[in-house]
Amino acid sequence: MSHIPVNKGGPLTPHQDLHSEQGALRGEHPGRARNPVIKVADLAWLEFEKPDLDRAEVFARDFGFAIAARTEEALWLRGTFAGPPCMVIRRGHASRFVGPAFRAAERNDLDRLAAATGTTVRDINVPGGGKSVSLLDPSGLPVRVVYCGEPLPALPEQEPLILNFGTDHRRTNATQRPPREPSRIQRLGHVVLETRTFTRTLDWYLDVLGMIVSDFLFLDGQRGRGPTMAFIRCDQGSLPVDHHTLALHLGPGTGYVHSAYQVTDLDSIAAGGEYLAERGYRRSWGIGRHIQGSQLFDYWRDPDHFMLEHFADGDLFSCDLEPGWAPMSASGLAQWGPPVTRDFLGASPSPAKLREVMRALRDDNELDPARLLGLMKAMSS
């Protein structure tokens, strides 16, 4: 990828001033490609396999998804917003994350992408119909780019509460009693992936899918070696979009870390969390507010140990903002909230995870002992 020089003249933007002590230094990664193949419009859905679709459907309803379609072999989940589904869970021998699907802005983007990558545009079996191109990112993760036919219609919303602020009294002679019910998912927001080949994988998403970086994180004392995490958004020009649709971080594993789903507001997060707790599900971390992206968050584990996030009130950026740069640390994950948990950080690794670390250190990738020690230090700081 050809790096674009960063203009360091002029005042800091509000984004840079808020999220990092400084922007990029001369010669550092620009966070975008000069001439990408296409520019995806958004994340469409995530694909999983699980052996027990009945159990998956129970959790999905408790977490706040609606059911778009159900067969003996597949479960399609959706939010209240019009558009594509959020997730497909297909029956499989073991629980695993298959990969993400990104939404093409136009149908002919699929033709251009297929021609550039030597692949084929194929029909896909999705509610409403559609076409897709199937790719592999440099980590070996399957990635679809899709163009859907008929969008799913909108569903009834979970209305935000009317709040009183200081002398701004919008609610009088009425009490506030949010019901104890599932948070009603509106849409899929983002997915976080781990990779051993961080730089090559990052550049692939920028070069091939036209995404752009909102924030880079680097390890203490290792900034000269480049970033180890990137929060990446879609490029829709002057239209503001989510601070990140995809986040990548360097690590010994490859694949899914967590996914995030937008709900109405803080009360929806909190009441929905109480509903989940009453049914025996385990909170991983929350409730709090992030720094990169500013989202209100609450993280939960499903019965197959996958991590999912309820979020609300995230940042929206247009294409104008350059990436922010900040050191990676556990304390830098939230502006407020309970201390980050070992479960969220993966700080209590299983024997399988330890074997994964050893394999990663032996293989030819970007994880070496200095990087691993830096990551361990960051997650304890």
Side-chain angles (χ1 to χ4, degrees):
M1 173 177 173
S2 298
H3 288 189
I4 305 169
V6 177
N7 179 11
K8 306 312 297 175
L12 292 174
T13 69
H15 167 58
Q16 289 170 312
D17 187 50
L18 174 64
H19 287 279
S20 60
E21 296 178 2
Q22 56 186 326
L25 303 176
R26 183 177 296 277
E28 287 187 314
H29 201 298
R32 63 185 70 198
R34 188 184 298 276
N35 187 28
V37 177
I38 65 167
K39 293 184 178 182
V40 294
D42 203 352
L43 194 58
W45 61 76
L46 303 178
E47 302 190 10
F48 293 83
E49 289 182 357
K50 296 187 177 185
D52 191 338
L53 294 188
D54 291 335
R55 186 175 70 167
E57 181 175 345
V58 170
F59 173 79
R61 292 184 185 275
D62 288 342
F63 193 73
F65 291 105
I67 307 303
R70 171 72 195 266
T71 68
E72 286 297 315
E73 298 301 321
L75 172 66
W76 288 90
L77 308 178
R78 61 160 300 175
T80 58
F81 286 0
C86 294
M87 184 188 297
V88 57
I89 304 172
R90 296 188 175 89
R91 191 181 302 279
H93 295 296
S95 295
R96 72 183 187 100
F97 175 64
V98 177
F102 291 88
R103 180 169 62 85
E106 299 177 356
R107 168 61 182 84
N108 60 13
D109 283 344
L110 296 186
D111 297 324
R112 185 160 61 252
L113 182 62
T117 58
T119 54
T120 304
V121 179
R122 300 183 185 277
D123 292 329
I124 49 172
N125 183 18
V126 58
K131 303 279 188 180
S132 78
V133 170
S134 296
L135 307 169
L136 288 177
D137 77 9
S139 298
L141 187 71
V143 176
R144 288 185 192 261
V145 179
V146 303
Y147 187 80
C148 295
E150 190 70 23
L152 297 172
L155 297 177
E157 285 290 328
Q158 195 169 35
E159 294 297 328
L161 298 184
I162 300 172
L163 304 179
N164 289 329
F165 298 98
T167 58
D168 182 7
H169 300 156
R170 305 181 186 186
R171 190 187 76 257
T172 59
N173 296 329
T175 59
Q176 198 79 287
R177 302 290 187 270
R180 189 69 61 86
E181 64 182 6
S183 304
R184 205 169 302 174
I185 301 300
Q186 295 175 326
R187 64 182 179 94
L188 169 61
H190 64 260
V191 63
V192 179
L193 302 175
E194 182 177 1
T195 174
R196 303 172 190 172
T197 55
F198 174 81
T199 303
R200 285 198 291 122
T201 302
L202 168 67
D203 288 349
W204 185 87
Y205 283 97
L206 274 51
D207 288 338
V208 178
L209 303 189
M211 305 182 81
I212 55 181
V213 175
S214 298
D215 278 291
F216 282 120
L217 301 184
F218 57 88
L219 296 177
D220 184 38
Q222 298 187 34
R223 182 165 181 172
R225 296 190 63 183
T228 50
M229 186 164 188
F231 297 86
I232 311 163
R233 67 190 187 273
C234 297
D235 182 359
Q236 293 200 39
S238 60
L239 178 68
V241 300
D242 288 333
H243 170 272
H244 57 283
T245 300
L246 169 67
L248 293 173
H249 73 78
L250 177 66
T254 296
Y256 183 88
V257 178
H258 77 257
S259 52
Y261 303 86
Q262 181 176 290
V263 299
T264 301
D265 57 13
L266 179 58
D267 277 279
S268 175
I269 292 174
E274 291 297 307
Y275 184 91
L276 287 168
E278 288 173 351
R279 279 149 184 79
Y281 299 110
R282 182 162 63 89
R283 175 180 273 119
S284 180
W285 181 35
I287 298 171
R289 187 181 283 277
H290 280 307
I291 293 180
Q292 274 77 25
S294 303
Q295 301 95 336
L296 296 162
F297 66 81
D298 196 18
Y299 293 90
W300 293 84
R301 293 283 185 181
D302 77 0
D304 297 286
H305 205 63
F306 290 108
M307 190 188 301
L308 292 86
E309 175 190 1
H310 285 142
F311 81 91
D313 190 34
D315 291 337
L316 300 173
F317 290 173
S318 68
C319 70
D320 307 292
L321 296 183
E322 294 181 358
W325 287 71
M328 178 182 283
S329 69
S331 60
L333 292 172
Q335 300 177 43
W336 58 261
V340 63
T341 64
R342 292 178 63 84
D343 178 72
F344 178 84
L345 295 174
S348 300
S350 64
K353 189 68 174 179
L354 293 174
R355 290 192 295 270
E356 189 175 59
V357 171
M358 297 306 297
R359 284 196 301 270
L361 290 173
R362 290 195 299 266
D363 291 344
D364 182 17
N365 54 58
E366 295 177 36
L367 191 74
D368 55 33
R371 284 303 221 191
L372 179 60
L373 290 173
L375 289 168
M376 295 170 63
K377 178 181 177 182
M379 291 303 98
S380 63
S381 63

